[in-house]
């Protein structure tokens, strides 16, 4: 397996634009996590899915953020409209069981100008 | 107060030195994780442990459940060990999620 695949690796967008981040988890993993990493706050869990169902989205900062997992092999994190304070590295991770070893993607570095 | 605290925040060392990074947590846990993040790179899981000690190459992770404390040791450090090391715990209460420390930035100079 190629591991968790995220795209794009880098995204620069203007304030107000819609941004969509994509993630392909490892095949067979039932859990998928979206994290945001900033210098100030470190790694923060935004939302996670179990068997494609959102379980906990309490970390999603605002209604501007939404995430979907239409099938076991694909998830998106969307920000609409984007703001400069959304600039961060967004990581997707998957695991076979919750709370067990998580495998992280390479991250998407988002810059909103 | 963060539920997972790491120390030190920053650490510099000369090649060959023995390095220790500490992690303390305040919640009951089912597992503790050590992760490594290289500059500009992704995050890699180094260890997941719930008791005792684990060793992988020059890396050793220990945990003391009673004291709610874990350490990550690097023996014979090398410049390629330079990275951010992150401690995370799986709480007993909600076992699906990880709670992260803020990380320890390690620089090893030749």
């Amino acid at each position: 397996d190629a591991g968790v695949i995220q795209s794009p690796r880098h995204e620069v967008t203007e304030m107000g634009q819609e941004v969509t981040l994509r993630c392909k988890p490892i095949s067979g993993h039932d859990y998928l996590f979206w994290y945001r990493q900033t210098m100030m706050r470190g790694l923060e869990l935004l939302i996670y899915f179990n068997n494609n169902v959102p379980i906990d989205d309490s970390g999603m900062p605002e209604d501007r953020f939404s995430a979907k997992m239409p099938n076991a092999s694909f998830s998106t994190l969307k920000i609409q409209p984007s703001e400069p304070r959304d600039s961060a590295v967004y990581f997707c991770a998957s695991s076979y069981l919750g709370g067990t070893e998580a495998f992280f993607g390479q991250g998407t570095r988002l810059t909103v100008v | 107060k963060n539920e997972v605290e790491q120390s030190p925040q920053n650490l510099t060392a000369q090649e060959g030195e023995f390095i220790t990074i500490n992690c303390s947590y305040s919640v009951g846990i089912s597992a503790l994780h050590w992760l490594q993040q290289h500059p500009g790179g992704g995050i890699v899981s180094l260890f997941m442990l719930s008791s005792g000690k684990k060793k992988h190459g020059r890396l050793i992770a220990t945990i003391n459940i009673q004291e709610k404390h874990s350490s990550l040791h690097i023996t014979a450090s090398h410049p390629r060990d330079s990275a951010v090391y992150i401690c995370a715990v799986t709480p007993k209460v909600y076992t699906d999620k990880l709670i992260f420390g803020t990380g320890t930035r390690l620089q090893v100079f030749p």
Side-chain angles (χ1 to χ4, degrees), chain A residues 58-107:
Chain A
S58 59
M60 297 285 261
E62 298 171 31
D63 291 345
R64 299 183 296 106
F65 285 69
S66 62
K68 294 182 180 179
M69 191 164 186
N71 57 62
S73 59
F74 184 66
S75 177
T76 60
L77 177 68
K78 187 175 294 187
I79 308 172
Q80 165 64 19
S82 57
E83 296 182 4
R85 61 194 167 118
D86 301 330
S87 297
V89 181
Y90 291 81
F91 285 98
C92 174
S94 70
S95 65
Y96 178 59
L97 295 172
T100 58
E101 183 180 11
F103 294 82
F104 286 76
Q106 287 292 98

Side-chain angles (χ1 to χ4, degrees), chain B residues 42-87:
Chain B
I43 298 172
V44 175
S45 176
L46 297 175
F47 296 103
M48 185 177 79
L49 65 167
S50 55
S51 65
K53 179 167 76 173
K54 285 191 175 181
K55 184 175 188 292
H56 181 68
R58 295 179 294 105
L59 302 177
I60 304 167
T62 64
I63 187 169
N64 185 318
I65 296 294
Q66 287 71 32
E67 294 186 2
K68 294 185 174 177
H69 181 269
S70 175
S71 293
L72 177 68
H73 305 286
I74 305 175
T75 61
S77 60
H78 190 276
R80 64 174 176 266
D81 297 325
S82 299
V84 175
Y85 292 84
I86 303 169
C87 173

Side-chain angles (χ1 to χ4, degrees), chain A residues 45-47 55-61, chain B residues 97:
Chain A
L45 176 66
L46 299 177
I47 184 172
I55 302 301
D56 185 346
D57 65 354
S58 59
M60 297 285 261
Chain B
K97 302 194 290 189

